Amino acid sequence: MARFGDGLALGPDLETAAAAAVEQALAPLSAAPDLVCVFIAGDDPAEIEAAARRAAAAAGPALMLGCSASGVIGAGRGVEEAGAVSAWAAVLPGARLDPFRLETLKAEDRLVVVGMPEPRDDDVVAVLLADPYSFPVDAFVERSDDALPGLPMVGGIAEGGERGGERGAERGGELGGEPGGERGGTRLFVGGNVHSDGAVGVVLGGPVAAATVVSQGARPIGPDMVVTRADENILYELAGVPALEKLEQIVVGLPEEDQELAGRGLLIGVAMDEYADEHEHGDFLVRGVVGADSGSGAIAIGDVVEVGRTVRFQVRDAGAAEEDLTALLERFDLAPVEGALLFSCNGRGQAMFPDSDHDAKVLDRAFGPAGVGGFFAAGEIGPVAGRNHVHGFTASILAFGRVGDDA
């Protein structure tokens, strides 16, 4: 019998699908689960909420965590643009599970996030699911290393039901994901409660064998360049040349195929190790190029970059994305993997690959018969080079292995 299981159910009746997905996830388990994660794709937030409550009832006394999404991952498949529920269940003997619900309060001239559990010496990893409209997820994650030193954080930005509401194009340009639905349509689930704002999650501590990996779906083009003039997220000069002029020089010199990829959506990578002799695929924190001004020759990117940092332009590339994910999983330092949570960008799936199953299939090949569940996120959370970040076009993975005598 297994310690991890997953399930997937499709259909317009989300409540029935939720019960079926949880039942599938529980079926192979050797004992009652400690944690059940449920992700729901649907059109109506009220139906998603009802399905979440049905899933919580089916999960029994286990801690349930989850959210609404544009697509879900489970049972070796990815499903987008259809009503579906994925469930993932874990038996974690002796582990400590500290669920949390985060809210943002206004204190004088600043915002304060409250609700995070106090750090403990045996904390292993945190899972975070956030609403993009009401919670400052970028700032919270980027500063988490200061408030919670050494704690890896993995998860994703949730999406609401599609009811013809506004879409988060600004975030899409910055990070690659794009929140769907309307403000207030997101649903977050934790401990039997359903919320429409803030963030939820769980800190796992004690005897838990877990490891994280973030695979970025981009390939470098052109040379490394030092930022020689910048202001916040506006790059004015790269290697002493106006940034837009430098970009045009690079694109003109590319093969036709790469020029086409650059035209579909250009990215920029910020080198994580300034002391490396060369920076190649996987050595960058990738952000979007969100605008350009021909008058000043400046370009705007989806992050703040200081003068002196090394950057390199990037393009979205399905082949490079598959190679990177496969290579990272081959080097995974946790064997055997018994279960995993997968947070894949909503700019991957069928937007990048032939079908929605791609990332799920790569994990299946790498991990074998492990329970894998997750969803397509509008921004993925995961550590790179020892610090937590919000990403775009990535697959962020939290994998679990055997502990102590179980190994």
Side-chain angles (χ1 to χ4, degrees), residues 81-317:
E81 299 180 355
V85 179
S86 71
W88 179 86
V91 178
L92 302 168
R96 190 188 77 253
L97 280 68
D98 293 333
F100 58 83
R101 147 94 163 129
L102 303 183
E103 298 178 273
T104 306
L105 304 179
K106 190 169 185 179
E108 298 179 350
D109 60 345
R110 61 193 179 97
L111 296 177
V112 177
V113 173
V114 297
M116 196 70 192
E118 288 294 323
R120 299 172 70 166
D121 291 341
D122 63 346
D123 288 345
V124 175
V125 67
V127 179
L128 178 69
L129 309 173
D131 169 54
Y133 297 108
S134 61
F135 186 75
V137 60
D138 302 84
F140 178 79
V141 171
E142 294 295 331
R143 296 172 186 167
S144 65
D145 300 284
D146 300 324
L148 305 164
L151 182 66
M153 193 169 287
V154 180
I157 296 174
E159 298 185 79
E162 294 286 0
R163 296 189 295 180
E166 60 190 290
R167 295 186 64 81
E170 180 178 351
R171 168 170 296 279
E174 292 186 4
L175 295 175
E178 187 173 339
E182 62 181 24
R183 186 182 300 270
T186 304
R187 293 295 181 267
L188 306 168
F189 333 129
V190 63
N193 297 313
V194 180
H195 305 280
S196 60
D197 59 10
V200 299
V202 62
V203 176
L204 302 176
V208 177
T212 65
V213 64
V214 176
S215 175
Q216 306 195 65
R219 172 169 56 81
I221 56 171
D224 285 0
M225 299 164 291
V226 174
V227 177
T228 49
R229 184 179 166 220
D231 182 15
E232 297 292 332
N233 72 318
I234 308 299
L235 305 183
Y236 290 98
E237 288 185 1
L238 298 173
V241 177
L244 184 56
E245 180 182 336
K246 189 67 175 178
L247 170 59
E248 291 170 345
Q249 291 174 1
I250 292 170
V251 172
V252 167
L254 293 175
E256 185 176 340
E257 179 182 348
D258 284 352
Q259 288 185 9
E260 184 177 342
L261 290 174
R264 294 178 189 169
L266 191 67
L267 309 171
I268 192 167
V270 182
M272 295 179 289
D273 181 2
E274 287 291 338
Y275 300 102
D277 292 333
E278 295 183 13
H279 299 98
E280 298 298 337
H281 180 70
D283 293 335
F284 298 90
L285 183 63
V286 178
R287 293 295 187 244
V289 175
V290 298
D293 178 29
S294 58
S296 65
I299 62 174
I301 68 172
D303 206 347
V304 174
V305 178
E306 298 174 349
V307 170
R309 294 298 300 272
T310 299
V311 297
R312 190 174 179 184
F313 288 112
Q314 316 262 325
V315 292
R316 295 177 58 191
D317 184 289

